[in-house]
Amino acid sequence: MHESWKRLLADEFTKPYFKDLTEFVRKEREQHVVFPTSSQVFEALRLTPFDETKVLILGQDPYHNAGQAHGLSFSVPRGMEPPPSLQNIYKELTQDVGFKPPSHGCLTYWAEQGVLLLNSVLTVRAHTPGSHRGKGWEFFTDAIIRKLDARKRPLVFVLWGAYARKKVEFIDPNRHLIIESPHPSPMSARSGFFGSQPFSQVNSGLKSLGVAPVTWQLPD
């Protein structure tokens, strides 16, 4: 991860929960296939330094099928078919900001612009969604949200779905912009995600904060 995050999260690495979590993931990797690879677990924190974060888009678990997870919420590497939730994100982007869907599902370009694509849980056993929930990752990623909330320079938090929206308790709405809606998954996208215009809202919010907007269009 980026040095800025290493410094800020140094205390978390020494806490009992993180030691237990590390041991749990180590044993899981010995006995099962675990995604993403160990080198990509903190990819979001590597690509988007603390001081450069201007938007947080919070996911839940990494994708659990082979080749999909690479450490960024909702994103898959080039060469992988965009999963259904990401396809719905592309649909909303098209309606919201005139986005033209690329031939891939890699969102690294956003991360490099200051969009922290963070999952609440950073690992998962292959083909077993939710298998690493409740093992300690949530304490770690909640600490990340708290660090961002406490930062002097405000940012935009994007919370999709009931799980992500629970994190609003860690965010001061008087300092930061919070954008909430149903999740973009096929089960809930038509219940309020479609038409919510989160991407134009993000850029309007950033402009109001005196921060450069995100270029949502992804290079092909």
Side-chain angles (χ1 to χ4, degrees):
M1 66 180 72
H2 191 270
E3 286 298 323
S4 60
W5 286 113
K6 285 182 182 177
R7 290 192 301 270
L8 280 166
L9 299 169
D11 289 348
E12 298 300 313
F13 300 138
T14 65
K15 291 180 179 178
Y17 87 82
F18 198 86
K19 293 179 180 179
D20 292 343
L21 170 63
T22 301
E23 182 63 12
F24 165 76
V25 174
R26 185 187 68 79
K27 288 182 177 177
E28 280 283 287
R29 290 195 187 277
E30 284 182 354
Q31 300 169 17
H32 307 278
V33 176
V34 172
F35 301 131
T37 63
S38 57
S39 65
Q40 293 180 312
V41 170
F42 299 116
E43 186 73 353
L45 301 178
R46 184 184 73 81
L47 289 173
T48 312
F50 174 74
D51 290 330
E52 295 176 23
T53 300
K54 55 190 181 184
V55 183
L56 169 67
I57 297 180
L58 187 65
Q60 190 165 349
D61 282 15
Y63 294 123
H64 56 85
N65 290 327
Q68 291 183 314
H70 68 139
L72 304 177
S73 61
F74 298 103
S75 179
V76 292
R78 284 176 178 267
M80 296 297 298
E81 180 75 17
S85 290
L86 183 54
Q87 291 180 31
N88 285 339
I89 288 170
Y90 283 0
K91 289 177 184 177
E92 179 60 20
L93 275 161
T94 300
Q95 294 299 315
D96 188 10
V97 296
F99 179 83
K100 293 180 175 58
S103 59
H104 61 86
C106 183
L107 306 182
T108 299
Y109 183 64
W110 295 356
E112 292 170 342
Q113 294 182 70
V115 181
L116 183 62
L117 296 165
L118 183 71
N119 280 315
S120 290
V121 177
L122 300 187
T123 55
V124 67
R125 188 188 300 177
H127 316 302
T128 315
S131 51
H132 288 188
R133 293 179 196 169
K135 304 298 182 182
W137 280 127
E138 294 90 343
F139 293 122
F140 182 71
T141 52
D142 285 354
I144 292 170
I145 296 171
R146 288 189 172 100
K147 295 291 186 186
L148 289 168
D149 173 68
R151 199 182 70 179
K152 288 184 179 179
R153 186 160 51 85
L155 64 148
V156 182
F157 291 86
V158 180
L159 308 176
W160 289 329
Y163 182 87
R165 292 166 90 169
K166 290 177 183 176
K167 306 299 181 180
V168 75
E169 65 179 291
F170 303 133
I171 306 165
D172 181 355
N174 295 313
R175 297 186 59 244
H176 305 284
L177 177 64
I178 304 170
I179 296 172
E180 301 181 63
S181 80
H183 196 275
S185 74
M187 293 181 289
S188 56
R190 297 188 185 283
S191 300
F193 174 75
F194 288 143
S196 62
Q197 300 181 317
F199 307 100
S200 57
Q201 285 192 66
V202 165
N203 280 350
S204 293
L206 290 173
K207 288 176 183 176
S208 73
L209 297 172
V211 179
V214 176
T215 299
W216 296 112
Q217 183 62 54
L218 296 164
D220 216 334

